[in-house]
Amino acid sequence: MPELPEVEIARRNLERWTAGRRITRVEALDPTRVDGDASTLEGRTALRWERRGKMLIGRFGRLAFLSHLGMTGKWVVDPEDRPWQRFRLHAGDRCVALVDPRRFGRAWVIGEAEVAAHPRLAHLGPEPLDADFDAQTLRRRVGFGRSALKSRLLDQRAVAGLGNIAVIEACWRACVHPHLRCQDVPHSAWPRLHRAILDHLRQVLTQEDAPEIAYLGEVGAANPFHCYGRASAPCPRCATSIERLVLSGRSTFFCPTCQLI
DNA sequence: AACGGAACCTGAAAGC
DNA sequence: TGCTTTCAGGTTCCGT
């Protein structure tokens, strides 16, 4: 799924494709995945697109359009006869569509005044790419309690936007075991973890910046990650075999040699 | 409070 | 070849 970098790229694309354009037609092809009356967007102009965590926020004056991509969602331009289209916005002479095979994605059409208190937005933690997100903030939000580090980092209330891949990659980069209890993460590890999160997010943002995001596992996409999805392959740092295990239903990958703490 | 597991969905790949 | 199982980058709900 779309983690923070993919959602940020979707935001930039939607901005480029639709900002300043008038919405002539809206098609909710899978009405069960949309809350609110999508047709009320017709006749309005797309002003700008924002991102908060993994949520996209389209600004249409008095109305806002929220989109969460779920596990397999992506926004594409001029979809023509692509399969799995769930939602289409006709903006001027072009069309943008949400393509989402698994249908975990959701959308909401709400009033401008309801955005801040929306349940998917109101409780999100800080944005890791904001200038004031530092190692101390990370430690304060994450470094307590008996939860596994991985679980806490995935908690959108602790830090917004991190997903399974970002957490696995950040722990690998920082040489910290993802199942370490939060309260046991040594003080010295927080700056490393902070740097690792930023490095990972920036790297993915750079390498995936394109009109269409190729998720891992799609035809022709090579695994661009150091550790994620590399069970039994050699660790790029020490050549030990990467291990995979499952915690709360999610795959975890780690190097048993590098990530001792 | 906090954790694991199931549920929500569907398609692709691997296994037999 | 075809059927079955496993797995997938998210989130919520439910039981312990």
Side-chain angles (χ1 to χ4, degrees), chain A residues 47 75 89 106 118:
Chain A
L47 300 177
W75 283 94
L89 285 174
R106 277 207 89 81
H118 191 276

Side-chain angles (χ1 to χ4, degrees), chain A residues 17 42 55 86 153 247:
Chain A
W17 294 330
E42 289 176 358
M55 288 285 280
R86 309 301 182 195
L153 288 172
L247 180 77

Side-chain angles (χ1 to χ4, degrees), chain A residues 189-239:
Chain A
W190 294 107
R192 286 209 311 278
L193 209 41
H194 172 258
R195 172 107 315 263
I197 289 168
L198 295 194
D199 287 349
H200 165 77
L201 294 176
R202 288 182 181 140
Q203 187 195 314
V204 178
L205 262 173
T206 302
Q207 74 196 10
E208 287 189 352
D209 198 357
E212 182 157 340
I213 295 153
Y215 294 133
L216 182 65
E218 287 186 37
V219 280
N223 181 352
F225 305 113
H226 299 289
C227 186
Y228 178 84
R230 295 198 180 277
S232 73
C235 168
R237 200 163 36 210
C238 78

